[in-house]
């Protein structure tokens, strides 16, 4: 697609038109956690959206957290094309990035803990790529659902930038934008929990090796739950 050119986001006028209804159905339940993938979710739960490269490995980082994550699903976010397909997103003509939606219980796991996982699970300084994966769909992104999430995301970016700079790494390119007005479109069924279905499958996720200085609340340190509970 790129033929040696630097990836560029399309304008709304350049983006593919998409479709008014999804081209496929999303599975009912998470293959690891056993919970419903789509809402409405139980009262008291919150939603967080992250883009950190190929969503196969990114999703696994969040479902493997010890407790507090109700469900995860992968999809496309931050672009213009309605109900895109994977092939359309990979064309670079939708404006979307590969994203992970994390539905979590803030009484058990904090948003700061999710941010820590986000920052430490990829290299947020690489722009439109993660490792060997190159394209606008691999850009780093946080789409916030509340003012509190937005403030925490901005604070964490500033804190992580300090330690990355001290370690000789570059400038964070992560986009932090409100999720409102940026629809999350679930990806095809085979992408959901891909590395659970294909344990030896490709995972392009890798961090910088630099710890993110975000505190972990005591409530986050709880015994692992069994799948389906």
């Amino acid at each position: 697609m790129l033929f040696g050119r630097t990836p560029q986001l399309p304008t709304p006028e350049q983006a593919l038109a998409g479709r008014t209804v999804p081209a496929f159905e999303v599975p009912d339940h998470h293959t690891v956690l056993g919970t419903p993938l789509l809402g409405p979710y139980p009262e008291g739960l919150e939603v967080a959206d992250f883009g950190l490269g190929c969503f196969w490995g990114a999703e696994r980082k969040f479902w493997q957290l010890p407790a507090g994550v109700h469900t995860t699903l992968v999809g496309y976010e931050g672009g213009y094309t309605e109900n895109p397909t994977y092939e359309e997103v990979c064309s670079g003509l939708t404006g979307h990035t590969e994203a992970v939606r994390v539905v979590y219980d803030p009484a058990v796991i904090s948003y700061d803990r999710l941010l820590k996982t986000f920052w430490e699970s990829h290299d947020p300084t690489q722009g439109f790529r993660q490792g060997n994966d190159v394209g606008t769909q691999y850009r780093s992104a946080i789409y916030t659902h509340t003012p509190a999430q937005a403030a925490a995301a901005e604070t964490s970016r500033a804190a992580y930038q300090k330690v990355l700079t001290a370690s000789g790494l570059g400038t964070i390119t992560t986009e932090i934008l409100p999720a409102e007005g940026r629809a999350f479109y679930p990806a095809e069924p085979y992408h959901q929990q891909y590395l659970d279905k294909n344990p030896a499958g490709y995972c392009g996720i890798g961090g910088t090796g630099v710890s993110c200085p975000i505190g972990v609340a005591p409530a986050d340190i709880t015994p692992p739950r069994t799948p389906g509970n």
Side-chain angles (χ1 to χ4, degrees):
M1 178 187 71
L2 300 173
F3 301 106
R5 299 193 303 273
T6 301
Q8 291 185 334
L9 285 170
T11 65
E13 294 73 27
Q14 293 170 331
L16 299 175
R19 52 199 56 80
T20 58
V21 295
F24 45 83
E25 293 186 0
V26 178
D28 290 333
H29 290 82
H30 198 287
T31 62
V32 178
L33 303 177
T35 48
L37 288 186
L38 301 178
Y41 302 112
E43 185 176 353
L45 300 188
E46 296 184 5
V47 174
D49 294 340
F50 303 102
L52 53 157
C54 176
F55 51 22
W56 293 348
E59 184 187 18
R60 183 169 63 180
K61 290 289 185 180
F62 291 101
W63 88 53
Q64 287 181 335
L65 288 170
V69 172
H70 176 73
T71 200
T72 62
L73 65 156
V74 297
Y76 313 114
E77 193 168 9
Y80 308 110
T81 302
E82 290 186 87
N83 296 296
T85 65
Y86 181 65
E87 290 74 21
E88 288 169 346
V89 171
C90 289
S91 76
L93 294 175
T94 71
H96 293 293
T97 191
E98 294 189 12
V100 180
R101 171 154 288 183
V102 183
V103 182
Y104 67 103
D105 184 347
V108 179
I109 187 169
S110 66
Y111 186 65
D112 276 353
R113 182 64 181 86
L114 300 182
L115 286 169
K116 185 175 178 68
T117 298
F118 167 78
W119 292 118
E120 293 181 355
S121 297
H122 75 304
D123 183 345
T125 71
Q126 293 192 326
F128 294 141
R129 63 175 292 188
Q130 276 299 303
N132 293 326
D133 294 329
V134 179
T136 57
Q137 73 271 29
Y138 299 117
R139 69 186 184 275
S140 178
I142 302 173
Y143 301 111
T144 60
H145 289 262
T146 65
Q149 284 189 1
E154 294 285 356
T155 298
S156 69
R157 178 169 60 182
Y160 200 38
Q161 184 63 71
K162 288 182 179 179
V163 294
L164 289 179
T165 299
S167 299
L169 297 174
T171 301
I172 290 174
T173 60
T174 305
E175 62 182 23
I176 300 176
L177 297 168
E180 184 178 1
R182 295 174 173 84
F184 176 94
Y185 298 104
E188 289 82 346
Y190 73 92
H191 288 303
Q192 307 298 336
Q193 298 87 63
Y194 179 85
L195 290 180
D196 176 54
K197 303 168 187 172
N198 303 275
Y202 170 76
C203 175
I205 295 298
T208 61
V210 178
S211 178
C212 183
I214 299 176
V216 179
D220 296 337
I221 307 173
T222 54
R225 65 178 176 182
T226 57
N229 292 337

